Structure formats: C-alpha cells, structure tokens
Amino acid sequence: MLNGDITLDILDGKFSYRVGAIIIDSNEILMAKDEKTSFYYTIGGRVRFGETAKEAILREIFEETQLRLELGELKYVHENFFTSYEGTVYHEISFFYSVKSSAELRSMMKHAFFDDAYGEVTLHWLPIDELATFDLYPAFFKTESLDSDGKVKCFITKNNHTYSTTDHE
C-alpha cells in the first residue's frame, strides 16, 4: 500500500477502491491521459484507508489540479475486472461523482499536467458528443448520458464487456 491507498494483494491479483470526478464544462468533460496507457480516464484515484469516497475525490481533485472544487452527487458505481498493462489482475470498485467546474479550472487547462506513478499525466477537455471516438475509461461514458438525473447507475465490466446491473442480474 502506498500512502494508505486501498489496494490489497489478494491471491494472484489486487483489489482496488477508486474514485473518479465527472467534471463537465461547455459540453466537454475533463479527462486525463498518461504516458503508459492508451486510454483517457477521469481524474481521481484510490481511496485511502479511513477516508470516505467523498473525502477521497476532493483530495484527488486538489492533488491533480491544485483547486478546491464543489462536489456534486454520486453518479456511477463501477465494478471492474481487468488486467493492467503490467499483467496484474484487478477487481476494482469505483465511485464516480459529478463535480462542478470553475473558470479557474478552465483557464489553467492550457498546459495542465501532473506527475504520477504512471509518469506524466496530461489533462484534456474532450467534447461530450464525440466521446464514442475516443479510447475511454470507463467505456460506458461513451453511451451514458452524463447529465444529472439524480439516479445512481451501476455497471460491471468483466471479460471486456460492460453492462448495467439493471440490464443483467
């Protein structure tokens, strides 16, 4: 464990507890991309032991943008089974929260990046109506409405197939 992050070695793999921020501004969503992976993903990271998911997402946003943004509602819960680029098998639970953008965040985005365990991570505003054309994590961001409707939606990704838990039980 690094800094108390909830990533546990279990049998031949790892369990991870993660949070992600859905930050939308001007019909674009803020996404990150690092040097080692081919896909874009939300800013966020692992929850630390003793920390709530809400505390974790606010901390992660500050670590990655140096801004304190306003947290919205829980939008998605994602249970994800995958193998990392290093070959580690993961079982990951992620909570995705809507987060209110700010003018300061938008203005700092001209050359925004931060260093992470994965190398340099760059931040990008991706047009929501073009998300289907990007290699994106989680994949359901390509098809789900990111507008707030007040309902928490749950998804499972297993064997490279993602489905809503309301569609398949």
Side-chain angles (χ1 to χ4, degrees):
M1 277 194 305
L2 177 64
N3 296 324
D5 290 350
I6 300 177
T7 301
L8 306 170
D9 292 321
I10 299 175
L11 301 173
D12 294 328
K14 292 185 181 279
F15 172 80
S16 176
Y17 178 22
R18 186 180 186 282
V19 290
I22 301 170
I23 304 173
I24 296 174
D25 189 358
S26 302
N27 205 35
E28 295 178 316
I29 185 170
L30 183 62
M31 300 296 274
K33 187 169 184 327
D34 62 62
E35 299 171 328
K36 296 191 182 200
T37 57
S38 63
F39 54 87
Y40 293 89
Y41 50 90
T42 63
I43 65 172
R46 292 193 172 83
V47 177
R48 292 181 179 161
F49 188 79
E51 183 177 54
T52 68
K54 287 182 177 183
E55 291 167 341
I57 193 57
L58 291 172
R59 174 186 50 77
E60 287 287 345
I61 291 166
F62 183 76
E63 287 177 2
E64 296 173 10
T65 68
Q66 300 305 300
L67 297 173
R68 300 208 185 276
L69 299 178
E70 184 180 334
L71 185 65
E73 61 193 5
L74 176 62
K75 294 280 296 169
Y76 302 107
V77 175
H78 185 209
E79 186 172 11
N80 191 15
F81 300 85
F82 67 97
T83 302
S84 71
Y85 67 89
E86 316 105 336
T88 304
V89 176
Y90 276 86
H91 180 168
E92 180 177 80
I93 305 292
S94 298
F95 290 171
F96 292 92
Y97 287 89
S98 63
V99 176
K100 187 175 180 182
S101 186
S102 71
E104 189 177 10
L105 176 65
R106 195 68 186 203
S107 68
M108 71 164 272
M109 288 302 304
K110 292 189 176 30
H111 302 291
F113 70 92
F114 59 92
D115 289 318
D116 191 83
Y118 303 107
E120 185 177 279
V121 178
T122 53
L123 301 178
H124 307 267
W125 288 103
L126 302 182
I128 290 174
D129 57 356
E130 297 175 23
L131 290 181
T133 66
F134 291 95
D135 188 3
L136 202 62
Y137 167 84
F140 61 82
F141 277 21
K142 294 180 180 189
T143 56
E144 280 298 304
S145 169
L146 297 175
D147 293 328
S148 181
D149 64 4
K151 296 179 184 174
V152 176
K153 296 182 181 174
C154 300
F155 291 88
I156 295 173
T157 300
K158 194 168 189 177
N159 300 323
N160 293 317
H161 176 71
T162 300
Y163 57 91
S164 168
T165 58
T166 56
D167 296 337
H168 299 83
E169 290 297 327

